[in-house]
Amino acid sequence: MGYNLTQKILLNHLVSGTLQPGQEIAIKIDQTLTQDATGTMAYLQFEAMGIPRVKTELSVSYVDHNTLQTGFENADDHRFLQSTAAKYGAYFSRAGNGICHQVHLERFGVPGKTLLGSDSHTPTAGGLGMLAIGVGGLDVAVAMGGGPFHMVMPRVVNVRLHGRLAPWATAKDVILEVLRRLTVKGGVGKILEYGGEGIKYLTVPERATITNMGAETGATTSIFPSDEVTRAFLRAQGREEVWVELGPDPDAAYDEVLDIDLSSLEPLVACPHSPDNVKPVREVGPLAVDQVVIGSCTNSSYLDLMKVAAILKGKVVHPRVSLVIAPGSRQVYAMLAQNGALADLVAAGARILECACGPCIGMGQAPPSGGVSVRTINRNFKGRSGTADARVYLASPETAAATALTGRLTDPRELGDPPEIALPERFHVDDRMILPPADNPDDVEIVRGPNIKPLPVAEPLPRSIQGRVLIKVGDNITTDHIMPAGAKVLPLRSNIPAMAEYVFAAVDPSFPRRAREAGGGIIVGGENYGQGSSREHAALVPMYLGVKAVLAKSFARIHRDNLINFGILPITFIEPADYDRLEQDDVLQIDQVHQALQDGADLEVKNVTRNFTIKARAQVTPRQVEIILAGGLLNYTRRG
Ligand code: SF4
């Protein structure tokens, strides 16, 4: 039996384990990326390991999230990141140079290599044939130090694309269809490997839209083969020499298969407040729209924005609509400026933002109260836009542009023939905003402004955990719920004491006070606890507040790993109905934790308040047991 593409790359990088789904494997990491919202912490963690230079083939530190500078905090963080990159051997992509995933695809991605990124949309690089995985910053810090990355071998799903997209159906509609079928939980424990004859009609930026938003299914990553389409993209970026042909063997086996007929797809939209709440655009309307946002790492490529410019050319946005556009990179921005498309966007009334995450991470452009915002981004969780009662719909750039013109959610097929836009023969290449590491690292001094606070480190796990249920939450709680983003909180990413005031701010603002008064405790969650971003602060800050365990029906992958990395015990109910028997403020006691974890035995959770006992399970590998007992990955790694 031959190998699929995922297996081939994993075998090339395998440090330990076998490729049996469910078994723990360790792989060598070739490249890492960090962004500023997670990078400050990752570099503080890297420093704490005492390793003088990064040991990967390539590491890049991006600034793209916290680019609004309404106070000194973000600017302080940028200087810290610039100096750490120079000293420790990473490239530094300056603020304004673009969104990490877009820039990485353009300038650094290499087919067949492994990429670990402290951002959940790292799988974007899978559009180029990389095995690219999003994790917490601490895992990236360990990889920068030369350590392998450990994960449980996922099941590999072959997503076979048949036929060709109809006019106005787009790559965004492909991934929305995948989400409609798999839901936000359906990819957990899986890698989505794309194939089928339909892939040859999709360019690399289109493939990257699909792999980017595969993160919303909970998948470990998504990947496309590296073929002549990949080669053409790399040639146009002036990087053809890194191209290799890569694909599955003809007789490759997969754990599952998902068939999608591209020719049957039509413009789709994900309705509030979940990326899997997907419907055809024509079924949702009429819906008056207040704001249209075009950008983010999902849909801000040259191709995307050229199509938008062609749709808007010679017209003007509807009077009710505020249209904001954030190009994905300085390369895209420069090319739009050079070929006149930028003038078309401006003439149509678009508000052009800098090349950064911007509205996607709640950094400006919050919609009006109760407003409707149509966005090309990847997440529409309640409140993420910065307006608690706004309703966000996720759509393709074409649907978004058509909507901006009419002021109502619009199926772009109403516009007639779609614009014909092809990839350029040659992209505009100018890497002067990417600073290489210093040649003389000893002379580089790390710049630490007052926003850079010392790194909190967890205590080893006690043998017996006793604590109050600090909060009981429902299903699909996101990392945005646990640790909100937005212009107020994001600048505090390297200041954990200040950030602790915002844990569960939108769910229960009294949580931090109660956690402090109780000296920590336990969180009870429903299904898919911690879905969403790779935000390790959603584990780190609860750890700082003394949270010792999270007892949930199920966990999202990255968040569960982050809890382990910060020494918090993630356990699941054996009987999901037991969730209903627990209440906030109940005191729970879990005895002989160490023994049970080491034996792989179930844990007895005693409800001291109500006097009954339930069973829970920690599905952890022997290595993860050691990490939890040590009080997290940093303690474990330092111990050697
Ligand atoms: Fe930035 Fe949004 Fe992409 Fe995250 S999802 S990297 S915030 S653009």
Side-chain angles (χ1 to χ4, degrees):
M1 191 69 77
Y3 293 115
N4 57 49
L5 172 56
T6 304
Q7 290 168 330
K8 284 185 184 182
I9 299 178
L10 287 174
L11 281 172
N12 261 336
H13 291 83
L14 201 61
V15 175
S16 66
T18 54
L19 303 188
Q20 282 297 323
Q23 300 288 309
E24 188 174 64
I25 59 170
I27 56 170
K28 175 180 174 289
I29 295 301
D30 300 320
Q31 299 188 354
T32 67
L33 71 78
T34 54
Q35 38 89 340
D36 48 321
T38 56
T40 43
M41 201 46 68
Y43 277 91
L44 283 169
Q45 288 154 345
F46 180 78
E47 275 193 314
M49 288 174 202
I51 297 168
R53 294 284 272 185
V54 299
K55 294 183 176 170
T56 47
E57 290 175 11
L58 174 99
S59 287
V60 191
S61 172
Y62 292 92
V63 174
D64 55 3
H65 278 59
N66 300 348
T67 55
L68 267 188
Q69 291 167 223
T70 52
F72 65 89
E73 294 90 347
N74 288 341
D76 273 12
D77 285 0
H78 300 170
R79 284 205 305 196
F80 170 75
L81 288 170
Q82 182 165 345
S83 56
T84 49
K87 189 171 188 73
Y88 297 128
Y91 284 81
F92 180 69
S93 177
R94 303 183 63 190
N97 197 49
I99 304 171
C100 55
H101 309 304
Q102 176 68 24
V103 177
H104 211 83
L105 200 69
E106 293 168 356
R107 306 306 309 145
F108 293 110
V110 177
K113 298 279 183 185
T114 52
L115 168 68
L116 204 66
S118 60
D119 189 280
S120 52
H121 292 100
T122 302
T124 312
L128 206 53
M130 292 192 92
L131 197 83
I133 302 175
V135 293
L138 188 46
D139 278 320
V140 173
V142 169
M144 288 195 294
F149 172 62
H150 292 77
M151 66 173 176
V152 173
M153 176 65 199
R155 292 166 66 77
V156 183
V157 183
N158 189 201
V159 186
R160 297 190 301 204
L161 304 182
H162 306 284
R164 195 171 182 164
L165 287 168
W168 294 110
T170 67
K172 184 62 160 279
D173 302 308
V174 177
I175 189 60
L176 288 176
E177 172 66 10
V178 171
L179 269 155
R180 189 184 70 79
R181 296 211 211 163
L182 292 185
T183 78
V184 291
K185 277 178 62 183
V188 174
K190 297 175 185 173
I191 289 178
L192 307 182
E193 182 177 315
Y194 286 82
E197 83 281 0
I199 63 170
K200 65 174 177 284
Y201 303 116
L202 296 170
T203 62
V204 166
E206 290 172 312
R207 295 174 180 186
T209 293
I210 294 171
T211 56
N212 169 282
M213 212 172 158
E216 272 53 64
T217 69
T220 304
T221 190
S222 305
I223 187 167
F224 275 81
S226 170
D227 55 11
E228 286 299 325
V229 173
T230 320
R231 183 183 205 162
F233 176 82
L234 287 169
R235 186 186 308 123
Q237 289 288 351
R239 303 200 291 122
E240 188 177 1
E241 72 282 359
V242 303
W243 179 76
V244 283
E245 185 166 19
L246 280 174
D249 289 332
D251 57 345
Y254 291 88
D255 299 304
E256 288 172 41
V257 172
L258 186 71
D259 285 297
I260 296 185
D261 176 8
L262 294 179
S263 65
S264 70
L265 295 181
E266 61 177 305
L268 299 171
V269 64
C271 301
H273 294 284
S274 184
D276 59 0
N277 187 11
V278 174
K279 299 184 177 135
V281 173
R282 68 184 158 79
E283 282 181 15
V284 178
L287 177 75
V289 172
D290 305 284
Q291 183 193 52
V292 171
V293 174
I294 298 175
S296 90
C297 55
T298 314
N299 276 125
S300 59
S301 69
Y302 172 81
L303 270 187
D304 286 331
L305 297 195
M306 284 303 291
K307 287 179 190 165
V308 169
I311 293 169
L312 297 180
K313 188 177 170 78
K315 307 190 176 87
V316 71
V317 297
H318 188 278
R320 188 178 45 239
V321 174
S322 168
L323 168 64
V324 291
I325 297 179
S329 68
R330 183 166 158 268
Q331 177 182 84
V332 173
Y333 204 172
M335 290 176 72
L336 297 178
Q338 284 161 2
N339 68 18
L342 182 62
D344 294 334
L345 296 173
V346 172
R351 302 165 65 183
I352 309 292
L353 307 180
E354 72 173 320
C355 309
C357 301
C360 182
I361 193 68
M363 273 285 173
Q365 310 305 329
S369 301
V372 170
S373 180
V374 173
R375 300 181 165 207
T376 65
I377 66 176
N378 45 41
R379 292 187 176 137
N380 57 350
F381 304 141
K382 203 169 179 4
R384 184 175 161 103
S385 66
T387 303
D389 60 358
R391 285 173 294 150
V392 175
Y393 292 74
L394 309 178
S396 69
E398 288 87 330
T399 299
T403 298
L405 292 176
T406 62
R408 58 181 166 76
L409 182 66
T410 298
D411 187 324
R413 290 175 295 185
E414 289 180 22
L415 300 181
D417 291 333
E420 294 279 336
I421 309 281
L423 273 187
E425 292 279 306
R426 196 82 185 173
F427 286 97
H428 170 80
V429 174
D430 171 4
D431 291 334
R432 286 175 299 169
M433 293 287 278
I434 301 173
L435 308 180
D439 295 330
N440 48 347
D442 290 346
D443 298 345
V444 178
E445 208 171 305
I446 306 289
V447 186
R448 280 174 227 276
N451 200 41
I452 308 289
K453 293 276 187 278
L455 187 67
V457 178
E459 299 289 321
L461 193 77
R463 291 188 177 277
S464 159
I465 297 174
Q466 187 182 62
R468 224 168 254 291
V469 175
L470 296 171
I471 190 168
K472 181 182 175 185
V473 290
D475 294 344
N476 293 322
I477 284 292
T478 70
T479 47
D480 279 301
H481 289 119
I482 304 167
M483 196 67 260
K488 227 194 279 171
V489 188
L490 272 179
L492 305 173
R493 284 293 173 95
S494 44
N495 185 346
I496 303 306
M499 211 171 185
E501 296 310 314
Y502 295 92
V503 180
F504 283 115
V507 181
D508 177 357
S510 62
F511 177 89
R513 179 182 50 77
R514 282 188 286 108
R516 282 185 207 279
E517 282 171 6
I522 295 168
I523 293 169
V524 172
E527 297 280 7
N528 200 21
Y529 180 83
Q531 72 159 326
S533 72
S534 68
R535 194 167 302 166
E536 67 182 358
H537 289 75
L540 167 60
V541 188
M543 176 274 275
Y544 173 78
L545 286 173
V547 172
K548 292 282 181 283
V550 180
L551 175 56
K553 290 184 186 169
S554 65
F555 290 92
R557 174 189 64 90
I558 303 181
H559 185 61
R560 185 174 163 284
D561 290 350
N562 280 337
L563 289 172
I564 293 168
N565 283 351
F566 289 98
I568 297 178
L569 182 64
I571 43 178
T572 49
F573 293 98
I574 291 180
E575 282 301 327
D578 285 337
Y579 168 89
D580 299 321
R581 302 172 71 195
L582 302 181
E583 295 298 336
Q584 185 175 312
D585 290 332
D586 285 358
V587 174
L588 306 183
Q589 177 147 349
I590 315 172
D591 288 327
Q592 300 184 343
V593 183
H594 289 213
Q595 197 64 51
L597 289 177
Q598 282 161 338
D599 295 348
D602 292 342
L603 295 155
E604 308 255 326
V605 181
K606 180 156 196 233
N607 188 324
V608 178
T609 310
R610 293 165 203 275
N611 199 21
F612 63 82
T613 299
I614 60 172
K615 286 197 179 227
R617 185 168 292 158
Q619 282 158 321
V620 282
T621 65
R623 177 177 163 275
Q624 288 175 325
V625 170
E626 292 302 313
I627 292 172
I628 295 170
L629 298 190
L633 184 58
L634 196 54
N635 290 344
Y636 174 83
T637 307
R638 278 172 171 169
R639 213 175 54 186

